[in-house]
Amino acid sequence: MENPLLEETVTEEGPEEIKPEDSAQEYDGADEFQNDDIPDYAVEHQNYLSESNLPQRPIPDLADFRKELKEQLRALVKDGNQLLLAEYLIDCLNDEGMLLQYLSDMADDMSFQNNMLISTDQMESARQWLLRLDPIGIGCLNIKEFLILQLNKKEGRHSRLAIQLLEKNYGDLAHRNMEKIAANLEIDENELREVLKVVGSCQLKPLAESSEPRYSDAITLDFVITQHEERTDVKLYHQRSSTLFVNHSMSTMLNKGKSGDKGALLYLKSKLNSAQWFVSAIQQRETTMLNVMKAIVKFQAPYFRDGDTRLLKPMILKNIADVTGVHISSVSRITCNKYADTPFGAILVKNFFSKGIENEQGKAISNRVIQLAIEEVVSTESKLKPYSDQQLVTLLAMKGFNIARRTVAKYREQRQIPVVQVRAMMA
């Protein structure tokens, strides 16, 4: 809009590949931008496309559940101080809707931020407002409290017994001391089984557990990866630089010096330099994006041939930076929140990265492969006698994965597999 020498053509959306003949005119200062150090804000749509000609593809929208909770809260709470504390607690929720920090610590933080003394009791009073929000369980301090909150909404003898079990025998339940539980509740083994079924029917977290950001259904594709027999092709979904070009007639006129007004000539020359730099910078950015994605595909070639997640190799940002000669920070920006259309569906590019451990043969194995191995072992366990984390360590060692129990627990949680006690209750 501001540069008369910079023009744009509108093309249909679709995968495109950068070709040498499409390159912009060279500009002496382009080397300054070789490592993709252009800030993201400098190359977003609004900076070089008019509002009337924006791409029609939907932009991904991050669904922030905290914003929705605050809207519910404002309809309930009228006291300004209570609302301030309750909104702060919402910001402290983890992605599953739980408050895992100590109320005393949060009270200290709020006291410091607002230069006033806020007690733990005040924080607890504000937390009670969160427990009235939808979905049920928002603001619970632990799973035990969340389970009891759900059971209080149910009717019947078994629900009341389940509440007693959690309030008085939660530790015994964790250690599977069923005889002691039955004795304390004064029920037989059959009725205890029914009580455990009621507990097992409850949710474990207020919100669906997920290690990925919650996006709306619409995503923006950045790369297209196709497989042709033994060859894997990588293209940009939309090559923006191919729609931008410098006005040839005006640049020719400037090169010949055909202008009677020196001021106008200087103005147009500055705009010519600016237009050449801009197109060159966009071209450089897209070339870097393509080179990084091609390096990822080459590194993970076995996966892209078969689509089997177990074939993913451990890969970190430095691996790709070393191959492409691009700085690690640039690789991070290029792969952050980018999606690739593959023969196996749309995949978040960062999912191709993972750390690894060595197996018995000294070969590096991706932690995603180990997570899948844990899932496979758990899927074959007896529902009445599920494996403990220590038993999973032994079984994984038989498969060649020598990892610590705490690592098993970490990967199990990442795959949203409940602890052994909860899996037993759900049988």
Side-chain angles (χ1 to χ4, degrees):
M1 296 295 291
E2 298 178 359
N3 194 332
L5 275 82
L6 186 63
E7 298 189 1
E8 176 198 5
T9 58
V10 180
T11 60
E12 295 183 0
E13 298 290 344
E16 301 179 30
E17 185 173 16
I18 296 176
K19 300 178 181 178
E21 57 268 26
D22 293 332
S23 299
Q25 300 179 40
E26 292 296 329
Y27 177 56
D28 293 338
D31 290 340
E32 182 182 350
F33 307 94
Q34 285 296 310
N35 289 326
D36 191 40
D37 287 333
I38 310 162
D40 287 348
Y41 64 80
V43 290
E44 293 300 331
H45 289 307
Q46 63 267 28
N47 287 303
Y48 61 90
L49 294 179
S50 64
E51 291 185 2
S52 61
N53 198 25
L54 289 173
Q56 298 302 308
R57 287 183 290 132
I59 303 300
D61 183 25
L62 184 63
D64 188 358
F65 69 92
R66 294 177 180 84
K67 180 179 178 182
E68 298 173 2
L69 293 175
K70 289 179 181 179
E71 291 176 354
Q72 292 185 50
L73 192 65
R74 294 184 188 111
L76 293 174
V77 183
K78 303 305 178 185
D79 182 85
N81 289 332
Q82 286 280 295
L83 182 61
L84 176 67
L85 296 180
E87 287 189 339
Y88 172 78
L89 291 178
I90 288 177
D91 290 332
C92 292
L93 295 172
N94 67 5
D95 289 339
E96 287 76 46
M98 306 281 282
L99 271 176
L100 300 183
Q101 302 179 46
Y102 291 110
L103 288 177
S104 57
D105 292 341
M106 290 185 281
D108 290 342
D109 289 341
M110 283 297 287
S111 299
F112 179 78
Q113 291 179 22
N114 295 276
N115 196 27
M116 58 186 292
L117 182 62
I118 297 174
S119 68
T120 303
D121 289 340
Q122 288 176 289
M123 298 301 290
E124 174 59 29
S125 177
R127 188 179 76 91
Q128 292 301 314
W129 287 107
L130 268 64
L131 298 178
R132 298 174 60 180
L133 302 179
D134 184 54
I136 184 174
I138 291 294
C140 282
L141 299 175
N142 49 55
I143 293 179
K144 174 183 174 181
E145 181 184 19
F146 180 45
L147 291 173
I148 293 175
L149 194 64
Q150 294 174 80
L151 291 169
N152 279 324
K153 301 289 185 180
K154 299 183 179 183
E155 298 180 353
R157 169 180 166 80
H158 291 154
S159 296
R160 293 192 297 272
L161 288 171
I163 294 174
Q164 292 181 39
L165 186 157
L166 294 172
E167 289 177 341
K168 300 178 181 179
N169 296 95
Y170 190 73
D172 294 320
L173 178 63
H175 293 90
R176 303 185 68 182
N177 195 342
M178 300 305 174
E179 292 183 1
K180 183 178 179 180
I181 294 174
N184 289 341
L185 296 179
E186 298 181 351
I187 58 178
D188 58 25
E189 183 179 341
N190 291 332
E191 191 166 17
L192 176 59
R193 187 175 292 109
E194 295 300 319
V195 172
L196 293 176
K197 284 183 179 180
V198 173
V199 177
S201 66
C202 296
Q203 296 180 359
L204 297 178
K205 300 290 175 66
L207 297 174
E209 201 169 3
S210 175
S211 59
E212 302 294 337
R214 291 181 174 85
Y215 290 95
S216 62
D217 291 335
I219 64 173
T220 302
L221 294 173
D222 300 277
F223 304 97
V224 176
I225 301 171
T226 54
Q227 187 72 30
H228 302 283
E229 296 181 352
E230 296 299 318
R231 189 182 82 254
T232 304
D233 291 337
V234 181
K235 297 180 181 179
L236 292 175
Y237 186 86
H238 178 56
Q239 183 188 334
R240 295 183 177 94
S241 61
S242 65
T243 66
L244 297 171
F245 61 95
V246 177
N247 185 294
H248 180 70
S249 60
M250 294 188 71
S251 62
T252 300
M253 178 186 69
L254 283 173
N255 290 332
K256 292 181 178 181
K258 292 183 178 180
S259 176
D261 189 335
K262 290 185 177 180
L265 183 63
L266 290 175
Y267 169 79
L268 290 175
K269 280 186 176 180
S270 69
K271 290 300 182 182
L272 173 62
N273 290 340
S274 176
Q276 289 175 330
W277 170 83
F278 188 81
V279 177
S280 179
I282 298 296
Q283 175 77 36
Q284 180 64 43
R285 174 179 174 80
E286 294 183 338
T287 300
T288 305
M289 289 177 62
L290 196 58
N291 288 341
V292 166
M293 194 66 235
K294 285 181 176 179
I296 292 173
V297 170
K298 185 176 180 181
F299 199 101
Q300 302 290 6
Y303 166 78
F304 284 102
R305 280 196 296 269
D306 300 320
D308 188 346
T309 307
R310 289 172 295 185
L311 296 176
L312 282 174
K313 297 191 294 184
M315 181 179 70
I316 58 177
L317 295 174
K318 188 177 185 301
N319 297 140
I320 302 303
D322 290 343
V323 172
T324 59
V326 176
H327 195 274
I328 290 179
S329 62
S330 296
V331 177
S332 177
R333 289 200 303 273
I334 288 171
T335 57
C336 182
N337 294 332
K338 299 289 194 302
Y339 283 84
D341 184 18
T342 75
F344 325 111
I347 300 177
L348 193 63
V349 174
K350 77 170 188 177
N351 287 345
F352 298 127
F353 291 86
S354 65
K355 295 182 179 179
I357 65 171
E358 290 187 354
N359 61 9
E360 291 180 337
Q361 290 75 37
K363 182 180 178 182
I365 301 295
S366 169
N367 56 19
R368 294 187 183 277
V369 175
I370 299 173
Q371 291 174 16
L372 288 174
I374 293 174
E375 277 190 343
E376 290 177 358
V377 172
V378 170
S379 67
T380 61
E381 69 184 2
S382 168
K383 302 303 180 184
L384 298 177
K385 295 185 66 177
Y387 298 127
S388 65
D389 287 345
Q390 189 57 52
Q391 288 174 316
L392 289 175
V393 169
T394 303
L395 292 169
L396 288 171
M398 295 171 63
K399 292 178 174 287
F401 306 126
N402 292 317
I403 56 178
R405 187 193 62 80
R406 63 179 179 275
T407 306
V408 169
K410 173 185 174 181
Y411 291 167
R412 174 180 51 72
E413 291 174 358
Q414 289 177 352
R415 303 306 292 186
Q416 304 176 31
I417 301 174
V419 295
V420 57
Q421 294 84 4
V422 175
R423 301 206 303 276
M425 288 190 299
M426 297 172 65

